[in-house]
Amino acid sequence: MKNIRNFCIIAHIDHGKSTLADRLLEFTHTIQVTSGQMLDNMDLEKERGITIKSHAIQMEYTYQGEKYILNLIDTPGHVDFSYEVSRSIAACEGALLIVDASQGVQAQTISNLYMAIEHDLEIIPVINKCDMASANPEEVEDEIVELLGCKREEVIRASGKTGMGVEEILAAVIERIPHPEGDEDAPLQALIFDSVFNSFRGIIAYFKIENGIIRKGDKVKFFNTGKEYDADEVGVLKMDMVPRNELRTGDVGYIISGIKTSKEVKVGDTITHIARPCDKAIAGFEEVKPMVFAGVYPIEAEDFEDLRASLEKLQLNDASLTFQPESSLALGFGFRCGFLGLLHMEIVQERLDREFDMNVITTVPNVSYNIYDKQGNMKEVHNPGGMPDPTLIDHIEEPYIKASIITTTDYIGPIMTLCLGKRGELLKQEYISGNRVEIYYNMPLGEIVIDFYDKLKSISKGYASFDYQPNGFRTSKLVKLDILLNGEPVDALSTLTHIDNAYDMGRRMCEKLKELIPRQQFEIAIQAAIGAKIIARETIKAVRKDVTAKCYGGDVSRKRKLLEKQKRGKKRMKQIGNVEVPQKAFLAVLKLD
Ligand code: GDP
Ligand code: MG
């Protein structure tokens, strides 16, 4: 135990965690020097340059003549995955806090730091990307000293690109981070901080032992799920899995035990022995709840079962994805999926397309509402279409968040206007350093899922970072805004919105849909309604679309090509009544100006 150090790297997205982690692995000869990042091994991770799942890896390093085992846990930096970050943090005694030398402290730098402080981790501040011409390490050092209350000498300057500072970081890990503690003779208590699905080995759970010893072949159980398993294989994580006969207190490792689905492995759960169980689970276990919901529908009705099979497979290694069948008058049979956040939703959509070749239509995302009837019963509704009749509703509650935005003083004005338009209430405003400021808002989550990120990015020219935490539910005056095409309500286009914004939103929806729905051979009326009351209307004029008229002479093959092209074009359309509606129309509400 004395020569073990368990640490993680925390940072705002893109500040260079994965790159720096690769340099540490190279320096300790854990991996060979190659190009590209080693820790992000999912294709999608490489392309997007973000770490979606946390990974753990063991390094060996000799320092002042003594051999040390360093377990590095790489964490995802995006808000949607902050639960995984917090579990990774719980498995460590220390953290490298990476801050980009040109960007300075950002929203997730602070939220991750708070999590690390809550878990009493020793923090080693590192200014990364010092090789860049735009680097401003002096000013960033001021910010860090201010934030942590540490000494200037404690801040390490580094570069994941050139390898500057890597040796100094390893020395700091050994000297400043305490070794794990615990009792080897006590009953087994191991924290599960992650799990992966491997197509050859099944589900693999990663854990850190807080107390006791685990041996190959042991009979174990997962405390919170109550499920029992044989420890078929246990081992440590290097670039590959390395089996061991036993792992002891303080060790980080993996277990393979015939776990069938990722649902059985709950990140944050405790592994113990069946024969001599620990008397309580490791604290801090919480079920992650999806925050954002959207309908996912196959374009071709006959692909419904394929879509179900694909979602089931995705769920095998993404336990936070939920789905249940639903049907829409407009879109037919599909699923209502629950996601941790918007990025998570985008990733699932992209994986459906890439890994399963599933062509789907997704509806506008929404949050979960608590609907109270006149008798005081509460029902959770995840879909505006599932709203009970308004006359039966007593009141509706919607989820709120506490948002933190870090920006420079130049953009405070426009950001405050944006937040106000999203029903935000300013909580406080604090200067971080020089002209950089952190603003806190209380806001409805439903307003964020719509187009907040994009707007924030564009009005701040990228100089604003954003993070949020759930902050309870509140009663709000919400109404269901329906959209009708030629008099038929299209359930997939309904949204719940605050009554004060409903008229404006109805008008803008109609205008946007007029732009997005192509002219057809008859006139199309687009209407917005609240209950029976029409509040806005636009009309799409008829057109006679005769593509073959463009063909001269009797060029049959050209004619056929055009017809085929038109047919393919139709594939991305959905027939609603007699109107053909393109996918982008279902997301119109995200694109309102
Ligand atoms: P993460 O999101 O924190 O894991 O960040 P990555 O390690 O994926 O790095 C984000 C981007 O910054 C990538 O394009 C890296 O190549 C680049 N990068 C990372 N570290 C450095 C560095 O020290 N210097 C320079 N110039 N670029 C870096
Ligand atoms: Mg990364």
Side-chain angles (χ1 to χ4, degrees):
M1 250 187 291
K2 219 179 99 267
N3 287 8
I4 298 177
R5 299 291 181 274
N6 296 318
F7 70 106
C8 58
I9 307 187
I10 53 179
H12 189 74
I13 189 157
D14 275 347
H15 282 196
K17 288 186 306 285
S18 304
T19 311
L20 200 67
D22 283 351
R23 292 294 87 72
L24 296 177
L25 299 182
E26 268 171 27
F27 197 84
T28 55
H29 308 289
T30 312
I31 57 166
Q32 301 304 311
V33 181
T34 50
S35 58
Q37 297 182 350
M38 295 306 299
L39 281 186
D40 288 347
N41 50 20
M42 256 168 81
D43 266 0
L44 192 58
E45 289 192 349
K46 275 191 193 137
E47 266 171 52
R48 293 197 159 220
I50 53 169
T51 308
I52 299 167
K53 295 287 290 179
S54 308
H55 303 273
I57 192 160
Q58 185 178 93
M59 299 176 266
E60 280 168 27
Y61 186 61
T62 305
Y63 178 71
Q64 299 183 340
E66 273 209 62
K67 220 167 106 181
Y68 289 86
I69 300 276
L70 312 178
N71 292 307
L72 163 62
I73 294 166
D74 189 29
T75 59
H78 192 276
V79 287
D80 286 1
F81 306 102
S82 61
Y83 179 70
E84 292 193 11
V85 179
S86 89
R87 292 299 91 197
S88 306
I89 284 176
C92 302
E93 282 77 40
L96 299 177
L97 177 72
I98 310 286
V99 183
D100 183 309
S102 345
Q103 305 273 313
V105 169
Q106 296 292 341
Q108 279 123 49
T109 314
I110 297 186
S111 59
N112 287 331
L113 173 67
Y114 286 166
M115 263 193 257
I117 291 174
E118 261 171 47
H119 287 277
D120 285 328
L121 300 201
E122 178 67 34
I123 312 284
I124 301 175
V126 176
I127 303 179
N128 189 33
K129 306 198 192 182
C130 285
D131 62 285
M132 287 177 70
S134 57
N136 196 348
E138 306 291 325
E139 200 177 302
V140 175
E141 202 171 272
D142 287 341
E143 290 184 4
I144 292 174
V145 167
E146 174 76 14
L147 186 65
L148 292 179
C150 63
K151 296 199 192 76
R152 289 192 161 271
E153 309 80 82
E154 291 173 36
V155 185
I156 300 174
R157 295 190 184 185
S159 161
K161 190 168 174 193
T162 64
M164 162 188 176
V166 168
E167 197 168 354
E168 206 185 327
I169 291 172
L170 289 168
V173 165
I174 290 167
E175 294 200 350
R176 298 194 217 164
I177 298 178
H179 60 75
E181 290 186 40
D183 181 358
E184 288 206 333
D185 301 321
L188 175 66
Q189 220 181 8
L191 170 72
I192 300 179
F193 63 85
D194 202 359
S195 72
V196 292
F197 172 73
N198 178 305
S199 38
F200 300 106
R201 312 298 309 272
I203 306 255
I204 303 165
Y206 297 164
F207 60 80
K208 182 220 180 171
I209 305 184
E210 301 285 344
N211 290 299
I213 297 171
I214 190 169
R215 296 189 174 84
K216 182 181 154 97
D218 280 355
K219 300 219 176 290
V220 296
K221 81 170 178 202
F222 291 1
F223 208 98
N224 290 292
T225 63
K227 298 235 177 194
E228 302 187 346
Y229 305 96
D230 289 331
D232 298 330
E233 183 178 316
V234 293
V236 296
L237 298 149
K238 306 249 181 154
M239 274 320 281
D240 282 313
M241 293 180 286
V242 183
R244 291 280 159 85
N245 285 326
E246 64 171 35
L247 294 177
R248 296 170 161 267
T249 303
D251 282 338
V252 171
Y254 69 91
I255 176 169
I256 297 176
S257 57
I259 304 161
K260 295 282 181 308
T261 71
S262 72
K263 284 228 159 118
E264 293 169 48
V265 191
K266 300 244 154 113
V267 167
D269 204 348
T270 302
I271 308 175
T272 191
H273 283 127
I274 296 173
R276 192 178 156 233
C278 52
D279 52 13
K280 60 179 196 307
I282 297 163
F285 175 77
E286 59 179 290
E287 297 256 356
V288 256
K289 274 189 93 174
M291 303 274 279
V292 175
F293 299 82
V296 175
Y297 289 83
I299 299 218
E300 305 292 344
E302 70 256 30
D303 291 341
F304 175 73
E305 284 304 327
D306 282 352
L307 179 57
R308 182 202 299 276
S310 308
L311 286 168
E312 274 166 3
K313 278 191 197 134
L314 263 184
Q315 209 180 34
L316 277 181
N317 65 358
D318 184 353
S320 47
L321 168 69
T322 63
F323 60 92
Q324 62 189 70
E326 72 168 7
S327 62
S328 145
L329 288 174
L331 299 174
F333 290 101
F335 297 92
R336 175 93 345 199
C337 297
F339 310 96
L340 298 179
L342 282 176
L343 179 77
H344 185 213
M345 174 171 118
E346 240 180 82
I347 286 168
V348 168
Q349 223 168 296
E350 219 165 301
R351 290 184 69 188
L352 277 175
D353 182 27
R354 279 175 198 228
E355 296 168 32
F356 300 95
D357 203 19
M358 285 303 314
N359 221 336
V360 294
I361 291 217
T362 46
T363 65
V364 177
N366 59 266
V367 298
S368 165
Y369 298 95
N370 294 341
I371 315 257
Y372 289 84
D373 65 15
K374 304 250 157 60
Q375 286 72 47
N377 303 311
M378 194 270 275
K379 183 178 155 199
E380 270 185 44
V381 169
H382 298 157
N383 180 357
M387 282 273 290
D389 187 284
T391 57
L392 303 175
I393 298 175
D394 184 70
H395 66 281
I396 304 176
E397 286 178 348
E398 63 176 333
Y400 263 68
I401 55 161
K402 185 178 173 196
S404 128
I405 298 163
I406 295 185
T407 187
T408 59
T409 41
D410 312 342
Y411 302 107
I412 295 183
I415 289 175
M416 287 192 164
T417 310
L418 171 69
C419 292
L420 200 66
K422 298 284 187 190
R423 298 190 277 138
E425 290 159 15
L426 182 64
L427 293 173
K428 68 176 170 178
Q429 181 179 344
E430 268 171 6
Y431 280 84
I432 298 180
S433 74
N435 66 340
R436 299 208 322 126
V437 64
E438 179 167 26
I439 331 173
Y440 293 93
Y441 270 94
N442 204 6
M443 275 204 256
L445 177 65
E447 298 280 351
I448 303 293
V449 304
I450 287 189
D451 56 0
F452 185 77
Y453 286 109
D454 290 350
K455 290 236 163 88
L456 181 67
K457 227 190 278 165
S458 74
I459 61 172
S460 66
K461 308 203 166 59
Y463 287 104
S465 59
F466 169 72
D467 195 28
Y468 67 82
Q469 286 165 345
N471 198 14
F473 279 75
R474 277 210 209 173
T475 303
S476 293
K477 288 215 158 66
L478 299 170
V479 290
K480 185 163 150 242
L481 179 68
D482 291 317
I483 300 290
L484 291 75
L485 293 181
N486 280 346
E488 290 291 319
V490 182
D491 55 359
L493 287 172
S494 296
T495 46
L496 275 192
T497 179
H498 193 266
I499 191 151
D500 294 348
N501 301 337
Y503 282 77
D504 183 47
M505 181 139 163
R507 186 181 49 76
R508 290 189 298 153
M509 277 288 281
C510 289
E511 285 169 7
K512 198 73 200 177
L513 286 167
K514 183 179 178 181
E515 251 172 61
L516 296 175
I517 298 177
R519 289 174 148 210
Q520 298 176 24
Q521 295 178 7
F522 42 84
E523 196 174 275
I524 304 166
I526 306 170
Q527 294 167 304
I530 298 173
K533 191 169 166 205
I534 303 292
I535 59 166
R537 177 189 166 120
E538 292 284 337
T539 309
I540 302 176
K541 292 247 155 50
V543 69
R544 226 193 113 65
K545 196 163 102 198
D546 185 2
V547 283
T548 56
K550 282 191 208 123
C551 303
Y552 40 85
D555 187 343
V556 180
S557 76
R558 187 185 154 85
K559 222 178 237 181
R560 191 181 305 127
K561 258 188 209 149
L562 268 172
L563 283 171
E564 263 164 22
K565 197 167 152 206
Q566 197 190 28
K567 234 199 232 155
R568 271 206 307 279
K570 268 187 189 152
K571 288 251 160 157
R572 271 169 281 117
M573 303 272 199
K574 197 85 196 178
Q575 185 91 20
I576 291 178
N578 52 0
V579 183
E580 291 198 322
V581 182
Q583 150 85 66
K584 46 183 195 286
F586 292 103
L587 299 174
V589 63
L590 302 182
K591 301 277 180 266
L592 301 180
D593 314 306

